[in-house]
Amino acid sequence: MMDLLFALLIWGGATVVAIRIANSPFYTALWAKLAVPALLGVSILVLWEGIVRGFGVSPVILPPPSAIASQFAQSIPILWGDFVQTFVKGALSGYIIGCGAAFVIAILIDRSPFLREGLMPVGNFLAAMPIIGTAPILVMWFGFDWQSKAAVVVLMVFFPMLVNTVQGLAETTAMQRDLMKTYSASYMQTLIKLRLPAAMPFVFNGLKISTTLALIGAIVAEFFGSPIRGMGFRISTEVGALNLDMVWAEIAVAALAGSAFYGIVAVIEKGVTFWHPSQRG
């Protein structure tokens, strides 16, 4: 039980320090914003380690973080191959195709009331389709390699991106549009100079939502068939072998990749929409 008491002590101390930093006047500093989640994250890992060791939890049920870290270090080549197969080939390609197609179709929908009334209900229908049902069908259509995973990702990210872009294009006020008309601006000039810049916060909202959906869709799709690599393939096979250390190592890779992907999109958003009130300090 000494391990558990030591872990509780570290967790409590780190939590107190994080609270003091968060409530301090210098919390706006970059180091403070990074220190608070880092302290809480490390304290949770220490508490996890202490609970597992203190109560003698079987590693088959819940391995300690130290065992997961050891497995991670020993399996870097395997984890890297799975990352490339799932994230780079499946999730990222499907993300680019799905979000790009949704962006283009949103502009067409905005231009045509007929498409707005006809395609939006279809998009809503596609968004309501469960991935558990569509993933095996797409795997049968596109094969067991990354193409079928990309197709699942396209289906998952398309509608959130479409809805946010359509909503963003309608964000401008009547006075702003009338001002463009007084300048004899064409539809394309109004779109490029007024409506697309005003829609950027909504567009990036759809892009950020789609970052998490893309990785989830690619991993779930691999449960229904994949080559002998990939995060979903590795998780399903290692669970069957009761090798939970490797399963958690794959989960860690997925969490790190998803967080980094979201962060990159958020950084790009900050540069593009610097003028928006949400980006002002």
Side-chain angles (χ1 to χ4, degrees):
M1 295 298 292
M2 290 300 297
D3 293 331
L4 179 58
L5 293 175
F6 180 70
L8 287 172
L9 181 63
I10 293 179
W11 175 76
T15 301
V16 171
V17 173
I19 292 174
R20 291 180 66 88
I21 294 175
N23 294 328
S24 64
F26 47 81
Y27 181 63
T28 55
L30 179 61
W31 71 267
K33 292 183 178 181
L34 295 176
V36 171
L39 282 171
L40 290 177
V42 171
S43 66
I44 290 173
L45 291 177
V46 172
L47 184 62
W48 178 355
E49 184 87 18
I51 290 174
V52 171
R53 294 185 180 276
F55 290 101
V57 180
S58 171
V60 175
I61 298 176
L62 183 63
S66 58
I68 298 171
S70 176
Q71 183 68 58
F72 190 103
Q74 296 172 11
S75 308
I76 289 178
I78 296 175
L79 294 172
W80 175 253
D82 293 341
F83 168 79
V84 171
Q85 176 69 23
T86 302
F87 182 81
V88 178
K89 293 183 178 180
L92 189 58
S93 60
Y95 177 86
I96 294 172
I97 296 171
C99 291
F103 183 81
V104 173
I105 293 176
I107 294 176
L108 296 177
I109 288 176
D110 177 75
R111 181 65 169 166
S112 171
F114 168 74
L115 293 177
R116 186 183 307 116
E117 298 299 327
L119 287 181
M120 291 301 290
V122 175
N124 192 20
F125 173 77
L126 292 176
M129 294 174 64
I131 184 176
I132 299 299
T134 56
I137 296 174
L138 293 174
V139 169
M140 292 176 62
W141 286 357
F142 295 98
F144 292 102
D145 210 345
W146 64 268
Q147 291 87 349
S148 58
K149 287 66 184 175
V152 173
V153 173
V154 168
L155 196 60
M156 289 192 68
V157 306
F158 179 83
F159 186 69
M161 184 65 185
L162 179 69
V163 170
N164 278 277
T165 305
V166 170
Q167 184 178 358
L169 290 172
E171 186 64 13
T172 54
T173 63
M175 183 178 294
Q176 291 172 327
R177 294 191 294 270
D178 289 342
L179 180 62
M180 295 298 292
K181 290 180 180 178
T182 61
Y183 293 147
S184 300
S186 64
Y187 171 81
M188 191 59 63
Q189 289 174 325
T190 304
L191 179 68
I192 295 174
K193 296 181 180 296
L194 172 65
R195 304 184 69 200
L196 279 180
M200 282 298 109
F202 293 86
V203 171
F204 276 99
N205 186 47
L207 289 173
K208 289 189 292 185
I209 293 172
S210 299
T211 56
T212 55
L213 293 177
L215 192 55
I216 292 171
I219 292 175
V220 171
E222 289 180 344
F223 290 162
F224 298 97
S226 69
I228 55 173
R229 60 185 180 276
M231 295 181 188
F233 166 80
R234 196 74 55 193
I235 290 172
S236 61
T237 55
E238 297 298 338
V239 165
L242 299 180
N243 187 9
L244 270 294
D245 295 350
M246 190 63 177
V247 173
W248 279 99
E250 290 284 358
I251 292 173
V253 172
L256 291 172
S259 300
F261 193 16
Y262 184 95
I264 291 171
V265 175
V267 169
I268 297 173
E269 177 190 19
K270 192 173 183 66
V272 173
T273 63
F274 61 91
W275 49 269
H276 196 262
S278 63
Q279 303 298 334
R280 297 172 187 166

